[in-house]
Amino acid sequence: RLVEAGRRVEPEELLLQIEAGDYLDIVKEAQARFSQEKAAIKRDKQLLNYVIANRKLQEEEVARMKELGQKSLTSQSKYGETIQNLLRLQVEEEKLNFSVETGSARLQLRQAALQQAQRDIERTRLIAPFAGVVNAVYVQKGDYVTPAQTALEIVQVSDMDLYLEVGSVAVTALHRGQGVEVESMGEQRQGKIIAIQRDPDPETFTYSIRIRISGEGLLSGNLARAIIPLAEIQGAITVPVSAISRKEKIASVFVVRDSVVIRKRVTLGRRLGNQQVVTDGLKEGLVIVVKDVAMLNDGLRVMTQQSP
């Protein structure tokens, strides 16, 4: 255990280390097996060349013995012994040929085992991935640790992340890498969106976003406020939310014409506070009913009154 809470560390600095003796032995064993396999392949190639040369000589001897056997009283047993020697050399050649052909695969297996052992050595050392401050150390000298166990926590103080939850209207206007103005500790900072949740929270129906800002002068837990720019709507027609009738799940408004209300089906867009954007179905200059629309019916005669 080489660091304590509160210590500032630099990138690649050693933080914690586990006993590496067993892992070093595995690396040495893997290196020895790799070298041994490499030497064995080289030896088999040389032996294969010798056996091929001997086999060719033996084939010539068999041919000579066969010719002598036809022209003289050469012993048949001598000829049979020559045939047996040729067969033995052919079998040995096949074995060595197989060993040489599969040597590359065996060497790759030994090399993979060696590389795995070397990576395991690297895993005995916990290195700081970035400059920061050690926030907590969860293991003591002599402790046994397991894979995926949290051993240490580092806080990156050069940058800080602001976590926000926004609605669907806001999230559609945002993208990764977008600049966002952030206010914290009485200062204005320029942040950048680094992550946007694509599926909403099933309980709040909000989307999580993370904004990265400079951490100079800030501490984890400080409050901040971000100004989220929404997409602009040009030439939009808006009506009060109270003017929208949703009878039978169909959005409509009541237009007043010659003291008679007429229901007009509309297509709704974004809601901005108490105002509802209407993207289709209305045009500028119409007179509409803005409250108590649940009490109205299409064709009902009403009295209009100018507001003072």
Side-chain angles (χ1 to χ4, degrees), residues 15-304:
L15 307 173
L16 298 170
Q17 186 172 11
I18 63 176
E19 181 59 45
D22 293 340
Y23 299 96
L24 288 171
D25 291 341
I26 294 175
V27 169
K28 292 178 180 178
E29 181 181 354
Q31 286 175 334
R33 291 183 181 277
F34 178 77
S35 299
Q36 186 180 33
E37 193 68 52
K38 193 174 182 180
I41 293 172
K42 182 179 180 181
R43 178 206 62 195
D44 289 346
K45 288 181 179 180
Q46 293 176 344
L47 289 177
L48 179 60
N49 292 332
Y50 296 149
V51 169
I52 291 174
N54 287 336
R55 188 255 303 161
K56 290 180 178 179
L57 290 174
Q58 192 65 27
E59 287 177 345
E60 293 176 359
E61 181 67 15
V62 168
R64 188 179 67 85
M65 292 294 294
K66 184 177 180 180
E67 184 178 354
L68 289 175
Q70 294 175 353
K71 296 180 180 181
S72 66
L73 299 177
T74 305
S75 172
Q76 292 296 323
S77 62
K78 184 68 175 176
Y79 178 71
E81 182 180 347
T82 305
I83 293 293
Q84 288 179 353
N85 289 337
L86 177 60
L87 292 175
R88 179 180 57 81
L89 289 173
Q90 289 175 338
V91 170
E92 187 174 354
E93 181 182 349
E94 286 295 328
K95 290 181 178 179
L96 289 172
N97 192 47
F98 175 79
S99 178
V100 170
E101 289 179 352
T102 59
S104 178
R106 297 199 311 275
L107 197 61
Q108 288 179 357
L109 290 174
R110 296 298 185 188
Q111 187 176 21
L114 175 59
Q115 292 173 345
Q116 177 66 47
Q118 291 171 337
R119 287 194 295 269
D120 287 341
I121 284 291
E122 293 297 323
R123 295 186 182 105
T124 64
R125 297 160 50 87
L126 189 60
I127 305 297
F130 49 77
V133 176
V134 177
N135 194 50
V137 183
Y138 300 111
V139 294
Q140 304 296 329
K141 183 177 180 180
D143 286 352
Y144 286 91
V145 293
T146 59
Q149 176 181 344
T150 301
L152 182 140
E153 183 180 280
I154 301 179
V155 177
Q156 189 177 27
V157 294
S158 59
D159 293 324
M160 301 288 280
D161 287 351
L162 171 61
Y163 170 82
L164 297 176
E165 293 185 358
V166 299
S168 59
V169 173
V171 78
T172 55
L174 302 177
H175 58 83
R176 290 183 69 249
Q178 180 177 344
V180 176
E181 186 177 346
V182 177
E183 179 184 353
S184 183
M185 304 296 290
E187 296 182 1
Q188 298 290 335
R189 302 170 186 261
Q190 187 65 25
K192 182 173 68 174
I193 297 176
I194 62 171
I196 301 176
Q197 183 182 8
R198 289 304 173 188
D199 292 327
D201 183 281
E203 296 182 358
T204 63
F205 297 100
T206 56
Y207 299 78
S208 300
I209 66 172
R210 286 188 180 276
I211 303 172
R212 182 153 295 171
I213 58 177
S214 171
E216 183 178 357
L218 297 179
L219 295 174
S220 179
N222 286 151
L223 296 179
R225 183 180 66 172
I227 300 176
I228 304 297
L230 302 180
E232 293 185 357
I233 301 177
Q234 301 291 339
I237 294 178
T238 64
V239 299
V241 174
S242 59
I244 303 297
S245 171
R246 299 181 183 273
K247 188 175 182 181
E248 297 179 355
K249 298 183 179 181
I250 298 176
S252 58
V253 298
F254 286 95
V255 177
V256 180
R257 186 177 300 164
D258 297 331
S259 299
V260 175
V261 293
I262 302 172
R263 182 188 295 271
K264 289 187 66 69
R265 185 171 180 174
V266 294
T267 303
L268 303 181
R270 181 191 305 174
R271 175 173 173 172
L272 303 174
N274 292 326
Q275 293 293 313
Q276 176 68 57
V277 175
V278 177
T279 59
D280 188 37
L282 289 182
K283 60 182 180 179
E284 186 177 357
L286 294 177
V287 177
I288 64 171
V289 180
V290 298
K291 65 178 181 178
D292 299 329
V293 294
M295 302 171 58
L296 299 180
N297 291 314
D298 195 18
L300 184 67
R301 182 173 293 277
V302 294
M303 295 178 60
T304 58

